[in-house]
Amino acid sequence: MIGLTPPSHPGAPLWPRRIACQAHQLRSFVAMIEPGEELFAFARRVTSRLDGHAAMLNFSAVPLHRAALHVPEADPTRQQIMRYGPAAVFDEACELVGGQMSVGITAEGPVLHCHGYLRLRSGTLFGVHLAPGGCFMAPTARPVAVQCAVLEGVRLEPIFDTETGFSLLSPVLCTDLSSFSLQLAA
Amino acid sequence: MNALVDFPVSAAVETDFNADIDVDIDISSKGRAWVLRFKPDEDLIGGLLEFAVEQGATRLRMIGAVGSLMHATLVSTEGRTIRVDGPGVEIIGLSGQIDTRQPDGAKAAGLRMVVADTHGQVHSGCPAPGGNPICVTIELFVQDCG
């Protein structure tokens, strides 16, 4: 439309445009999320011992009794191409039909980035960026298996990106493999 | 070395586990895995195909992906093209595999993507090459499977 400037990133493009780190090994395991457990707390519990490795968690058919999510919106300040407003909360029985969570590691613990889609009580599907601390498994449900894929030898580190104005998870090779062991949470 | 090992074992030593076994071991490329990040405006499928060719991987399986798109272009099973406008179309599921041995236009036919638009509405289909530019970032976990 005439007069409207399309949204854009605040900073100049950074190179390279693609980053790839090959893992030493791919391992896969299953962890159980317990009734009443919060999704991100579960992920921190499971991945807290993945010292220096990147992980991807795949959620499927997790019954929830509360879900909090962010929907992207344009940033009126144009400091970023988009931003997340306050979390929308669904305080009702719903289901995380599918979701994927990438796990990065910092000195303060795991950094989690999760997208998924919910089936609301009405049957409608609603897909979003899940809000940390706001998604709770139904307390009366049975434990649900979550598949966890771990790529050993690669870290996902949050790095501030001047091009987008966000702190983003970026793959970094682990150079020290001397203490290479994968300790799974109990 | 991250690899699956295929080795043929002579039938003559099947029952004698203490015998020296003369085997040929081929270290294949199967099983290599990567963590990828694509930056803004990189096409999701174009980037995956170029990466596969660079790495000599004929098939790349998607382990998982979390990211966002400027807009999404999906092809339904009926062949209908679906355009999901953004920016900020969230990738909420990416599964299947790409195959660089397939003809142009069919290399990504084995992929399925689920996205959410800026209203939370969910759309799914096969992502069309050239039609899914990254918005902010994407974290991709992929595995070489042939």
Side-chain angles (χ1 to χ4, degrees):
Chain A
M1 293 181 67
I2 296 174
L4 290 181
T5 306
S8 61
H9 293 294
L14 297 172
W15 297 88
R17 305 305 292 165
R18 294 198 302 260
I19 301 171
C21 291
Q22 183 174 344
H24 176 83
Q25 186 163 228
L26 167 65
R27 293 191 194 229
S28 181
F29 63 93
V30 170
M32 306 301 289
I33 180 169
E34 298 294 330
E37 191 169 16
E38 200 278 324
L39 237 61
F40 286 74
F42 158 78
R44 277 190 291 275
R45 171 169 68 82
V46 166
T47 62
S48 60
R49 296 187 187 184
L50 296 181
D51 182 31
H53 309 305
M56 175 72 68
L57 275 59
N58 274 282
F59 297 92
S60 178
V62 182
L64 305 175
H65 76 111
R66 187 176 190 271
L69 11 108
H70 293 292
V71 178
E73 58 186 26
D75 181 4
T77 69
R78 290 184 174 267
Q79 291 180 2
Q80 296 162 337
I81 195 170
M82 56 174 238
R83 67 176 187 181
Y84 290 116
V89 178
F90 291 93
D91 234 324
E92 61 180 62
C94 53
E95 181 179 81
L96 180 63
V97 180
Q100 299 190 316
M101 179 186 287
S102 55
V103 181
I105 304 295
T106 67
E108 290 75 39
V111 172
L112 310 171
H113 183 197
C114 187
H115 290 174
Y117 55 112
L118 302 176
R119 179 181 55 79
L120 303 178
R121 192 167 51 191
S122 61
T124 306
L125 290 181
F126 198 82
V128 281
H129 179 107
L130 296 175
C135 302
F136 292 85
M137 185 170 170
T140 55
R142 292 180 179 178
V144 173
V146 177
Q147 187 195 30
C148 309
V150 182
L151 270 66
E152 297 182 352
V154 180
R155 277 195 190 90
L156 271 174
E157 292 186 352
I159 300 173
F160 184 74
D161 182 73
T162 56
E163 178 178 353
T164 61
F166 287 97
S167 184
L168 301 173
L169 290 175
S170 197
V172 175
L173 278 177
C174 298
T175 55
D176 178 14
L177 301 178
S178 59
S179 59
F180 211 62
S181 64
L182 176 64
Q183 298 181 41
L184 303 178
Chain B
M1 174 70 70
N2 180 36
L4 293 177
V5 176
D6 298 322
F7 53 91
V9 177
S10 167
V13 296
E14 275 181 344
T15 57
D16 187 349
F17 296 106
N18 293 321
D20 290 333
I21 301 174
D22 186 17
V23 297
D24 293 326
I25 298 178
D26 292 327
I27 304 297
S28 78
S29 66
K30 293 179 186 178
R32 291 182 297 167
W34 296 268
V35 182
L36 308 177
R37 177 186 156 197
F38 291 173
K39 293 194 179 177
D41 296 322
E42 284 293 291
D43 182 66
L44 174 62
I45 303 307
L48 280 170
L49 290 172
E50 285 183 14
F51 176 75
V53 170
E54 287 168 7
Q55 298 297 323
T58 51
R59 283 182 300 184
L60 276 183
R61 178 181 79 90
M62 305 299 116
I63 299 170
V66 183
S68 60
L69 302 169
M70 294 297 285
H71 57 264
T73 309
L74 304 170
V75 180
S76 71
T77 50
E78 298 89 20
R80 186 168 52 94
T81 298
I82 305 165
R83 162 97 177 199
V84 183
D85 288 322
V89 176
E90 308 269 44
I91 297 171
I92 53 180
L94 182 64
S95 58
Q97 61 189 35
I98 58 171
D99 190 338
T100 59
R101 299 166 301 180
Q102 296 300 317
D104 285 346
K107 296 182 190 298
L111 281 184
R112 296 295 178 267
M113 186 162 71
V114 185
V115 301
D117 63 23
T118 53
H119 304 288
Q121 191 170 1
V122 176
H123 310 265
S124 70
C126 178
N132 296 277
I134 302 301
C135 180
V136 175
T137 187
I138 185 170
E139 296 113 41
L140 275 161
F141 285 45
V142 300
Q143 183 181 25
D144 178 7
C145 53

